Amino acid sequence: MTRTHTLHAHYRLVRDASCALSAPLSAEDCCVQSMPDASPVKWHLAHTTWFFETFVLERGEPDFRPFDPAFRVLFNSYYNAVGDKHPRPQRGLLTRPDLATVLAYRADVDRRMQALLGAGVTPAQAALIELGLHHEQQHQELILTDLKHLFSRNPLAPAFAAPPPAAAAAPALGWVDFAGGLVEIGHAGRGFCYDNELPRHRVFLEPYRLATRLVTNDEFLAFVEAGGYVEPAHWLSEGWDWRLAEGREHPLYWRREQDWQEFTLGGLVPLDRQRPVVHVSYYEADAYARWARARLPTEAEWEHACAGRPVAGHFAGRGAYHPAAAAGAGLVQLFGDAWEWTSSSYAPYPGFRAGAGAIGEYNGKFMVNQYVLRGGSCVTPENHLRASYRNFFPATACWQFSAIRLARDAPPHPGSG
Amino acid sequence: MTRTHTLHAHYRLVRDASCALSAPLSAEDCCVQSMPDASPVKWHLAHTTWFFETFVLERGEPDFRPFDPAFRVLFNSYYNAVGDKHPRPQRGLLTRPDLATVLAYRADVDRRMQALLGAGVTPAQAALIELGLHHEQQHQELILTDLKHLFSRNPLAPAFAAPPPAAAAAPALGWVDFAGGLVEIGHAGRGFCYDNELPRHRVFLEPYRLATRLVTNDEFLAFVEAGGYVEPAHWLSEGWDWRLAEGREHPLYWRREQDWQEFTLGGLVPLDRQRPVVHVSYYEADAYARWARARLPTEAEWEHACAGRPVAGHFAGRGAYHPAAAAGAGLVQLFGDAWEWTSSSYAPYPGFRAGAGAIGEYNGKFMVNQYVLRGGSCVTPENHLRASYRNFFPATACWQFSAIRLARDAPPHPGSG
Amino acid sequence: MTRTHTLHAHYRLVRDASCALSAPLSAEDCCVQSMPDASPVKWHLAHTTWFFETFVLERGEPDFRPFDPAFRVLFNSYYNAVGDKHPRPQRGLLTRPDLATVLAYRADVDRRMQALLGAGVTPAQAALIELGLHHEQQHQELILTDLKHLFSRNPLAPAFAAPPPAAAAAPALGWVDFAGGLVEIGHAGRGFCYDNELPRHRVFLEPYRLATRLVTNDEFLAFVEAGGYVEPAHWLSEGWDWRLAEGREHPLYWRREQDWQEFTLGGLVPLDRQRPVVHVSYYEADAYARWARARLPTEAEWEHACAGRPVAGHFAGRGAYHPAAAAGAGLVQLFGDAWEWTSSSYAPYPGFRAGAGAIGEYNGKFMVNQYVLRGGSCVTPENHLRASYRNFFPATACWQFSAIRLARDAPPHPGSG
Amino acid sequence: MTRTHTLHAHYRLVRDASCALSAPLSAEDCCVQSMPDASPVKWHLAHTTWFFETFVLERGEPDFRPFDPAFRVLFNSYYNAVGDKHPRPQRGLLTRPDLATVLAYRADVDRRMQALLGAGVTPAQAALIELGLHHEQQHQELILTDLKHLFSRNPLAPAFAAPPPAAAAAPALGWVDFAGGLVEIGHAGRGFCYDNELPRHRVFLEPYRLATRLVTNDEFLAFVEAGGYVEPAHWLSEGWDWRLAEGREHPLYWRREQDWQEFTLGGLVPLDRQRPVVHVSYYEADAYARWARARLPTEAEWEHACAGRPVAGHFAGRGAYHPAAAAGAGLVQLFGDAWEWTSSSYAPYPGFRAGAGAIGEYNGKFMVNQYVLRGGSCVTPENHLRASYRNFFPATACWQFSAIRLARDAPPHPGSG
């Protein structure tokens, strides 16, 4: 009973947060798709609702009738087991249903979900609902990154929010050593996690060290100005081809005007050199690391380094630097600043089991040619952050808040980790 | 004075017609671009306004101040002489300025134009304004064809208007003979025309005959069912490659369900076999004609056949069949039903002179790899129709109301033309 | 009898000429395809042989047995009526049959053809054989242009022949006026022509003038150096897009080293400024003409201007300048120097009839989105040149010896033509 | 001294083997490139020679003079540190230098290398030469796979060798269990290895089992006939998109005629159902494994399973089945049958160090978006096979002899490994 009550409140909280995100936007802002990888805000609002209607209500309501039968296909993202789906690159063509209808769809499904929750749900239903809420939080992050991309393509450079305040000076870059050995990674405990975080398992690590903080815009600018985008020796072969094909000469949202500018959710602003560099591809992260005589961490190194570190504490200080970091003595910016590229290809953990049915398509089928990112960004919902979380994107992806934490091999004696 | 007065009224009439077209649409409907060839309705509304602001007000207002300086680039279509332009395929990314702002832009420019017109304009200004109004009428047609394409991509198949009524039975196809000889084509008289309709000039024609009416859906369906899309011998080599690459098996907006359907501005309706087949490419028109042991007319044949025939009379009966046609004795559907593909590549008339300055970019620079269409369609503004009008599109274009009138060589004795 | 005797000799002459062209080449040179538009030399040798085997021997030999049944598909170019064909872009993958086998195929078909010719042929057979020989001469020209393209892609810049000698100084550019009026074009007389040169028919021409000679490299270089490739106002809209997409900054085979170089069949040599500029696309020809305040001629203007001028006389002086030209008083370089782009889209003449059967696919099905070139180039076989010959290529084509003769409208009084 | 002597003999052996491979081929066969991933045989012959000239002779010959200075660019594959390189997709355009010249190049470099070897080489030189010989052996394998691809595109289906004999019946598929735990992988001992096989390091493995033999054509055909290529649930999302885009309905070289055929180096032959399925992409291997309720092994699982197993013993029996396998009791076909896809993304081992200078570009820069294959195929030179060898290709690659060995998680008690 209590659990349902909590779930009920959680449901309301998460669902309201999505609407709050879109509240300042016009129907036009919510409708357009700026590239195949990004989806319209309206589509995110509808698809997250479709999840509850299709996976919970359709099975749970005694006399289920869909809000609109066409939505089953229209707002299916990729679940082949559910049936046909509308092609992803055409999500932006859906001027109908309009935004008002999609908001009405949300309200209708919320009303029916609350009725279901009020009547009590089975543990299986509760698990599905919890999954749906985490799924919706993922889409809340995408709403912001996709909108940022859309606005970045507009010559008027619209702002979604107030410009970010100037960051405090970044502390000197320090290193923290870890002894490695046979360690455990993967989700532990009773909280929610996705199937791809399981099972918790042993991994053997050589001694390593991690940088205390993320690479700053200032440091990355030094790479740019040292010819980092001109010298192929720094780059993976495929990365160099990507750079040439895309014509990249700096991170995606930088603009080389008289002074360096950066497009942000607060519009076009002078590049803040103290902030972490964000929106870099795996190729750029890897090239920077090689140039800096370092490397990217593996996901196991990253997760092991987090062990025992509180998520909330760091998160509270998004953008600020923790006193420990100022002294160069501890890891900061692990959570809630930017996603950190790891050198680990996204693959199943030993013993991985995908969920049953359509839900089983959630993660497993994307496990090829993607790289794992860890941590969580400034637009990741707070309670979505955890040490075992595995985000993943192709090496070309730049439109997420993706950043760089350096790693190095350490001498083979016990470290401070 | 009278002239300005008439121009003043004409201005108001044309400008209001654009707004009336978009009135039933949502801001979302007006914002999205469904393919690079099509533009968003909002862009059409803004670009036609930009024309007056840039070519008339900027030179004619004593202390000109743009409504928004950014619009100069944003809503330039292709006039290189005016400066930079926003890339065509990205017109659909402009969620800002929103529709309300674009409507305010229209109102502001209209107010200033009316002040200018009230104060009296020079003949040169009057000519530019007249050009601007005809330009806007072209975009009124595009608003409807582009919207139709957008809605056609939506699985919900939205309707912009009431479904079209069933057409009367098409009369039997007859032929009208023309003796040819040395004839004149090109615009004559004092009314408005574009530079590409001039100069009027002599052309020598062999005897020919034209079909009394357009090819119907019923006739085209016979071609489809006879394997017209399967047998390469009917097709131009390039047309066959196009058909394969696009996977075309029937005209663009047909749907092969249990019965044949057609997507229209009134939504998805049963294919009306009595209506002219529309939305065919040059390749399809040419293939049909070859299959029917006929050919497409040249633009000179078409225009010569029109000489002396009233535009208004035919136009009044859009969709209906004229008594003369019912008897198979005269040409019908020349104006206001559908654009008729001709076999003439779009080229300058002998002695062609492009206008001076940016306006000179209006037509001439598109004179390659396009084919001329004549007549005017059911979405062409009525006073935009005339016998000398030269519309033009690439052979691949299908999203206009493009249709087929057959022609044949005639025996070398005097015909009835 | 005499006719067959002549045909017999003609057959031997043309067939031997093809082998002579390929004699200096290695089997490797003959095998590779450098782009989809070009074919390997070996393919040309085989395909021209396939023409005789398929269209003459297969119907004419009492107990026909193909040299190799697989060749029927392998060396069919585009005759759908004959059956399947090997895809054009994959012609370069055929390392088997090897060159020796293809030469044996030629010898075998020649032996059988000579037997047939010796026994006497019907008029229909004779016509087919004559067509086959002209067809082979077209491919002789393609052998050289395709080989030139292949060698141009090789960093070693191989030479097929001795470098061309320095050209004599080009005479000053003059103009010859033509009164126009109702004139006749199209093939006349009893000699061979293709179906697309018929029927001879009347065309009305306004007064015009033609430049006495082709545009030189020197003149075109002035266009390049005046920013001709930088200023979009000179270009057709589609031409400008082509230029940007291809990254063109000068004609295809020019190289901007310390001095301007040009790749020729004689290898890489200094750009000879007195020679006609060649290997320009329709877009480049059109842009140059607009920059020079002129235009390209129509094909009717060109052909009418040639009327009564001897082909052989000009041809004898390939590369040299005729005394009349030196005085600026007459047209030179009409035949045997370079193909001259006309502004005429390739279309059927009024009353055009394609041949029957597979042969009917020879020309008609390419009549869209191509432009007519007239004259004949330095690699066109001499007896292949005639005033009514219509060559045609897409506006993008550069690998033929395509050049520019300027035209202008003339004042409306009698000229000297 | 002895070492140099051995190296001398090894040099001669490997270099002669390359020439022997190409001996039955025509110059045409050696010149053509069938796709960007494949290179012409002539290019392989030249590039492997370039390696010795550039990395050994240029630094080691007192008065080095290149055989041909142009070859430095022409036959550089991807070593940016060496300077410019000829674009990979254009390797097939090089009809010059011809095959005879490339063979002369080989002979010249061999003569100079033998002189150098005769005079004695430093350990660093010896290491480079050894690397060059292993490099050449890699290209010997590519000569055969690239030639197979070229011949497969030829409708004549040429044969390079005698058709393969019918295989013995495959034994029933068995499983061998491994206990896992903390194991070591990576190259050990004093023999040659590439930088990517080092350092030897510890990895923790969960208990697992491996199939005793490779998946057969018969088993894979069952997958095809069960709709394996129709049901997206079996496939990685990206794999399914690949399948659709490529139109794949079976492995690359299979042909669905009346009976199933397979294109082999011995030409087109009936599909031998007892042989291992080869030429499958990672996506196909992964889909088959999922359908078979199994998975692909990791590279660590594979290498650990090999520990202590003789390479030569298995190799001797290429294509045959070892008695142990017939009993289903042991692993067979580990070496010399086909490359086995692993689920491991190609990444640096912990502590990986790339070589210095241009040689350092050998492996490291390809470590993204590729998957590791283990074992070695029927066209891999025998002394090139070893347990620690890491081959790698993108998930899309099919033109190598790539195959499937299934793996499964094992229950957590000691296995038989």
Side-chain angles (χ1 to χ4, degrees), chain C residues 25 27-29 31-34 42 70 74 86 90 92-99 150-151 153-156 158, chain D residues 27-29 31-34 42 70 74 86 90 92-99 150-151 153-156 158:
Chain C
L25 296 170
E28 297 174 59
D29 291 336
C31 186
V32 170
Q33 178 173 34
S34 59
K42 186 171 72 179
L74 227 44
H86 187 63
Q90 296 173 22
L93 301 181
L94 302 176
T95 63
R96 317 283 178 95
D98 65 10
L99 180 58
L150 171 63
F151 278 7
R153 304 295 306 278
N154 190 325
L156 303 181
Chain D
E28 297 174 60
D29 291 336
C31 186
V32 169
Q33 179 173 33
S34 59
K42 186 171 72 178
L74 228 43
H86 187 63
Q90 297 173 22
L93 301 180
L94 302 176
T95 63
R96 316 281 179 96
D98 64 10
L99 179 58
L150 172 64
F151 278 7
R153 303 296 307 278
N154 190 324
L156 304 181

Side-chain angles (χ1 to χ4, degrees), chain D residues 200-257:
Chain D
R200 187 165 173 85
H201 63 286
R202 283 166 287 180
V203 175
F204 186 81
L205 298 178
E206 301 290 338
Y208 66 102
R209 42 183 62 163
L210 288 189
T212 46
R213 58 162 173 76
L214 301 179
V215 171
T216 62
N217 281 325
D218 195 57
E219 287 161 341
F220 200 88
L221 183 54
F223 170 67
V224 172
E225 292 179 341
Y229 281 74
V230 175
E231 171 52 54
H234 305 320
W235 295 72
L236 289 163
S237 176
E238 186 178 294
W240 183 251
D241 293 344
W242 170 85
R243 194 201 76 67
L244 288 177
E246 297 285 319
R248 289 291 164 83
E249 299 181 342
H250 51 69
L252 177 63
Y253 291 139
W254 288 21
R255 307 274 165 87
R256 198 196 296 259
E257 314 283 349

Side-chain angles (χ1 to χ4, degrees), chain A residues 97-140:
Chain A
D98 65 9
L99 180 59
T101 305
V102 165
L103 292 177
Y105 178 39
R106 289 187 69 88
D108 182 68
V109 165
D110 283 352
R111 188 185 48 71
R112 290 149 65 197
M113 282 295 296
Q114 279 156 6
L116 195 83
L117 283 160
V121 294
T122 66
Q125 281 177 317
L128 266 173
I129 295 169
E130 193 166 31
L131 178 62
L133 295 175
H134 283 268
H135 170 256
E136 181 140 355
Q137 288 187 307
Q138 289 183 306
H139 281 278
Q140 286 167 5

Side-chain angles (χ1 to χ4, degrees), chain C residues 227-361:
Chain C
Y229 280 75
V230 176
E231 171 52 54
H234 305 319
W235 295 71
L236 289 163
S237 176
E238 185 177 296
W240 182 251
D241 293 344
W242 170 83
R243 194 201 77 67
L244 287 176
E246 297 285 319
R248 288 291 164 83
E249 299 181 343
H250 51 68
L252 177 63
Y253 290 141
W254 289 20
R255 308 275 166 86
R256 198 194 297 260
E257 314 284 347
Q258 285 178 308
D259 289 312
W260 285 96
Q261 307 274 317
E262 185 175 22
F263 182 76
T264 71
L265 280 169
L268 198 60
V269 299
L271 181 69
D272 187 336
R273 303 202 176 192
Q274 302 305 313
R275 288 188 178 272
V277 64
V278 284
H279 298 293
V280 291
S281 68
Y282 179 85
Y283 303 126
E284 289 165 305
D286 171 90
Y288 177 84
R290 188 170 294 114
W291 176 77
R293 301 184 184 285
R295 58 173 174 80
L296 300 177
T298 65
E299 64 170 325
E301 287 172 340
W302 192 95
E303 184 170 336
H304 174 60
C306 277
R309 295 177 198 269
V311 169
H314 289 285
F315 179 74
R318 279 188 198 208
Y321 287 96
H322 194 273
L331 298 176
V332 293
Q333 296 177 323
L334 287 169
F335 297 104
D337 294 277
W339 289 102
E340 308 181 18
W341 282 112
T342 74
S343 65
S344 298
S345 177
Y346 181 47
Y349 282 166
F352 169 74
R353 290 283 172 272
I359 292 297
E361 300 187 50

Side-chain angles (χ1 to χ4, degrees), chain B residues 66-126:
Chain B
F67 179 81
D68 185 323
F71 289 9
R72 188 179 170 92
V73 166
L74 226 44
F75 298 122
N76 183 0
S77 51
Y78 54 77
Y79 298 85
N80 289 304
V82 174
D84 288 341
K85 55 184 192 283
H86 187 64
R88 180 172 189 137
Q90 296 172 24
R91 289 178 183 166
L93 300 180
L94 302 177
T95 62
R96 317 281 179 96
D98 64 11
L99 179 59
T101 304
V102 164
L103 292 177
Y105 177 39
R106 288 186 69 88
D108 183 67
V109 165
D110 284 352
R111 188 184 48 71
R112 290 150 65 196
M113 282 296 295
Q114 280 157 3
L116 195 83
L117 283 161
V121 294
T122 66
Q125 282 177 317

Side-chain angles (χ1 to χ4, degrees), chain C residues 40-400:
Chain C
V41 171
K42 186 171 72 179
W43 189 90
H44 288 299
L45 294 174
H47 165 68
T48 48
T49 305
W50 167 95
F51 188 102
F52 290 108
E53 190 181 44
T54 304
F55 293 126
V56 180
L57 295 179
E58 184 168 331
R59 306 165 186 180
E61 282 190 329
D63 47 354
F64 170 80
R65 290 192 48 196
F67 179 82
D68 186 323
F71 289 9
R72 187 180 171 92
V73 166
L74 227 44
F75 298 123
N76 182 0
S77 51
Y78 54 79
Y79 299 86
N80 288 304
V82 174
D84 288 342
K85 54 185 193 283
H86 187 63
R88 179 172 191 138
Q90 296 173 22
R91 290 177 183 167
L93 301 181
L94 302 176
T95 63
R96 317 283 178 95
D98 65 10
L99 180 58
T101 304
V102 164
L103 292 177
Y105 177 39
R106 289 187 68 89
D108 182 67
V109 165
D110 285 351
R111 188 184 48 71
R112 291 149 64 197
M113 282 295 297
Q114 280 156 5
L116 194 83
L117 283 160
V121 294
T122 66
Q125 282 177 317
L128 266 174
I129 294 168
E130 195 168 29
L131 178 61
L133 295 175
H134 283 268
H135 170 257
E136 179 139 357
Q137 288 186 307
Q138 289 183 306
H139 282 277
Q140 286 166 6
E141 177 159 356
L142 292 173
I143 282 175
L144 291 174
T145 55
D146 293 1
L147 182 76
K148 183 172 181 178
H149 187 264
L150 171 63
F151 278 7
S152 80
R153 304 295 306 278
N154 190 325
L156 303 181
F160 170 73
L173 189 79
W175 297 88
V176 179
D177 279 17
F178 297 89
L182 198 58
V183 307
E184 283 202 346
I185 66 166
H187 189 257
R190 293 170 48 193
F192 173 85
C193 75
Y194 291 112
D195 56 5
N196 64 4
E197 301 169 54
L198 291 173
R200 187 162 173 87
H201 64 287
R202 283 167 287 179
V203 175
F204 185 81
L205 298 179
E206 301 290 337
Y208 67 102
R209 41 185 60 164
L210 288 188
T212 47
R213 59 162 172 75
L214 301 179
V215 171
T216 62
N217 282 325
D218 195 57
E219 288 162 341
F220 201 88
L221 183 54
F223 170 67
V224 172
E225 291 179 342
Y229 280 75
V230 176
E231 171 52 54
H234 305 319
W235 295 71
L236 289 163
S237 176
E238 185 177 296
W240 182 251
D241 293 344
W242 170 83
R243 194 201 77 67
L244 287 176
E246 297 285 319
R248 288 291 164 83
E249 299 181 343
H250 51 68
L252 177 63
Y253 290 141
W254 289 20
R255 308 275 166 86
R256 198 194 297 260
E257 314 284 347
Q258 285 178 308
D259 289 312
W260 285 96
Q261 307 274 317
E262 185 175 22
F263 182 76
T264 71
L265 280 169
L268 198 60
V269 299
L271 181 69
D272 187 336
R273 303 202 176 192
Q274 302 305 313
R275 288 188 178 272
V277 64
V278 284
H279 298 293
V280 291
S281 68
Y282 179 85
Y283 303 126
E284 289 165 305
D286 171 90
Y288 177 84
R290 188 170 294 114
W291 176 77
R293 301 184 184 285
R295 58 173 174 80
L296 300 177
T298 65
E299 64 170 325
E301 287 172 340
W302 192 95
E303 184 170 336
H304 174 60
C306 277
R309 295 177 198 269
V311 169
H314 289 285
F315 179 74
R318 279 188 198 208
Y321 287 96
H322 194 273
L331 298 176
V332 293
Q333 296 177 323
L334 287 169
F335 297 104
D337 294 277
W339 289 102
E340 308 181 18
W341 282 112
T342 74
S343 65
S344 298
S345 177
Y346 181 47
Y349 282 166
F352 169 74
R353 290 283 172 272
I359 292 297
E361 300 187 50
Y362 201 92
N363 276 308
K365 72 185 198 182
F366 300 108
M367 290 178 171
V368 67
N369 289 336
Q370 312 227 36
Y371 284 82
V372 173
L373 300 101
R374 294 298 193 105
S377 85
C378 56
V379 296
T380 308
E382 288 199 36
N383 66 342
H384 205 66
L385 299 166
R386 61 186 169 273
S388 61
Y389 193 104
R390 307 174 79 199
N391 204 352
F392 52 89
F393 282 98
T396 53
C398 294
W399 92 112
Q400 297 300 302

